[in-house]
Amino acid sequence: MKKTIKTITLTAATALLSLTLVGQSFAASSTFTDLDNIASKDKIISLQQSGIVGGITSTLFAPQEKITAVQSVQLLVNALGLNLDLVKFVKEPKATDYFANATNEAWYAQALIIAAVNNVNLPKDLNPNKKLTREEFTHQLVQAIEVSKNLPLINPVVVDIKDANQITIEYSGSIQRGLKYGIIKLNSEGNFNPKDEITRAEAAEEVYNALDYLKTHQTPVTSYDPISATQGVQLITDALGKLGTDIKIKIDPDAKVTRESFTYLLVHTLQTSEKLPMIKLNPVDIKDNDKIDLSNVGAIQTALAFDIVELKADGTFHPQDVLTLAEATEIANQAVKAAEGLKK
């Protein structure tokens, strides 16, 4: 079945790419010919095969070249899968809204917007072409994984760093946690060399180590946990995929997901995608109807009519109850069942 593609609300403009650490992607089968003497060769190849890094050409990675501030941002965005998919903008965002020294038409503009919106800790006076030091890159990477992946706060045992007096004070906590996470290591003399400009190979290795740590240290989500806005949108997106439609939904990622809000978004999306018809309703008596937002009543009545949701035994809907992942999954499945039944 041919899929139709619809987009709800604003999608930010796509940035142009350049030949940088991650700005140009090549086929996973291509082989870098300049990594033979690089200790992190296997890690770099793994990142390339995952589409996270690219070379300056299809065969050259340039491991010893220094990484710039904007190359670093693009690398973090790619590695952590950051995006604007759940964000609704009043106006189209521009890189200069967040970083005064940026250029809105530059290849890196979109990455800066994505990083800023996803709370990656970057200096507001960021100089796009500045070469980053080891301490700057490590600080940004550690902060990014902690915020984007909701890592629990830790108080690591402080490691004795021989050149700790050279580390910028505001970066010291991130560097200690980076050591705890296994993202970085001290050299054989116990030094970190914080002021050295970081190479492309070194940055790629830190990213690989960070992703490796995340594989086993993210907080697991159970079906009885309250559903997040991200999970809610994913359930609805998956439901539409089963019905032959691809769709992008933009909502506030911090929005509280209730029985009312999820049911409204689900029904509204199905109707917008022409998977559920607009019908003449015979309203059901909902005992706590006064607790439902007036603008959402029609969607909830529609969901009841199609048996997507049910009232409680006492005739109430409990619109402000927070949904669990299990409950939201069941509602989404019922919506797919209802839509598929209409095609028969």
Side-chain angles (χ1 to χ4, degrees):
M1 178 184 297
K2 184 177 181 180
K3 292 187 175 184
T4 58
I5 300 176
K6 297 172 183 279
T7 301
I8 294 179
T9 74
L10 176 67
T11 300
T14 302
L16 296 177
L17 301 179
S18 76
L19 292 171
T20 66
L21 182 63
V22 290
Q24 178 75 26
S25 61
F26 298 98
S29 60
S30 64
T31 302
F32 296 131
T33 60
D34 56 353
L35 297 178
D36 287 346
N37 298 318
I38 303 299
S40 57
K41 174 181 177 178
D42 291 344
K43 294 180 179 181
I44 295 171
I45 295 299
S46 177
L47 291 178
Q48 186 230 1
Q49 291 175 336
S50 299
I52 293 173
V53 303
I56 60 170
T57 72
S58 60
T59 59
L60 296 178
F61 181 72
Q64 301 302 340
E65 286 191 13
K66 305 303 191 292
I67 190 171
T68 67
V70 287
Q71 289 173 350
S72 170
V73 173
Q74 183 72 70
L75 176 56
L76 296 181
V77 167
N78 279 21
L80 298 175
L82 304 181
N83 55 61
L84 303 175
D85 287 353
L86 302 179
V87 183
K88 182 176 181 179
F89 295 98
V90 175
K91 67 178 185 67
E92 182 177 334
K94 297 184 180 300
T96 51
D97 294 338
Y98 307 96
F99 305 100
N101 296 325
T103 299
N104 292 321
E105 296 74 27
W107 65 267
Y108 57 74
Q110 181 79 338
L112 289 183
I113 295 169
I114 292 173
V117 171
N118 283 277
N119 299 313
V120 176
N121 190 356
L122 299 171
K124 300 304 179 186
D125 61 349
L126 178 145
N127 177 351
N129 297 315
K130 178 185 183 297
K131 301 295 196 302
L132 289 190
T133 62
R134 286 171 54 81
E135 65 174 0
E136 289 171 325
F137 180 81
T138 302
H139 171 69
Q140 291 176 14
L141 173 58
V142 169
Q143 292 280 325
I145 67 169
E146 289 175 335
V147 171
S148 66
K149 303 304 179 182
N150 295 314
L151 292 182
L153 295 177
I154 63 170
N155 292 308
V157 176
V158 176
V159 176
D160 180 28
I161 302 174
K162 299 303 182 183
D163 54 356
N165 63 326
Q166 298 178 29
I167 297 174
T168 302
I169 294 297
E170 66 185 281
Y171 300 152
S172 59
S174 296
I175 290 169
Q176 286 289 343
R177 296 196 300 281
L179 289 166
K180 173 66 176 179
Y181 298 149
I183 294 174
I184 54 175
K185 293 180 180 179
L186 303 180
N187 65 19
S188 59
E189 298 174 348
N191 293 319
F192 178 61
N193 297 324
K195 304 302 182 187
D196 287 358
E197 292 179 347
I198 192 166
T199 67
R200 288 160 55 89
E202 290 169 337
E205 182 174 19
E206 286 196 24
V207 166
Y208 179 95
N209 293 341
L211 295 179
D212 193 52
Y213 177 84
L214 290 174
K215 290 178 183 177
T216 55
H217 290 83
Q218 286 180 259
T219 303
V221 177
T222 73
S223 60
Y224 299 103
D225 287 335
I227 189 173
S228 67
T230 302
Q231 292 170 320
V233 167
Q234 188 61 57
L235 283 175
I236 296 173
T237 301
D238 290 345
L240 266 292
K242 294 175 183 176
L243 297 171
T245 299
D246 288 333
I247 193 164
K248 293 182 180 180
I249 305 169
K250 311 294 185 183
I251 66 170
D252 181 354
D254 297 321
K256 178 182 177 182
V257 181
T258 62
R259 285 175 58 81
E260 174 182 1
S261 64
F262 181 77
T263 302
Y264 166 79
L265 184 59
L266 176 62
V267 170
H268 175 74
T269 304
L270 287 169
Q271 291 182 325
T272 301
S273 302
E274 300 177 351
K275 298 303 177 183
L276 278 183
M278 300 290 185
I279 60 173
K280 184 176 182 180
L281 296 167
N282 294 313
V284 175
D285 180 25
I286 303 175
K287 299 301 183 184
D288 53 355
N289 193 66
D290 60 319
K291 296 180 181 179
I292 300 174
D293 189 300
L294 187 60
S295 62
N296 297 334
V297 170
I300 292 171
Q301 287 286 350
T302 299
L304 288 167
F306 283 109
D307 294 322
I308 295 172
V309 296
E310 296 179 347
L311 298 179
K312 305 292 184 181
D314 61 357
T316 58
F317 182 66
H318 291 207
Q320 298 308 313
D321 282 3
V322 175
L323 277 181
T324 66
L325 179 57
E327 291 170 331
T329 300
E330 175 61 21
I331 293 173
N333 288 340
Q334 288 298 112
V336 171
K337 183 178 178 180
E340 289 178 337
L342 292 171
K343 295 187 292 184
K344 296 179 180 179

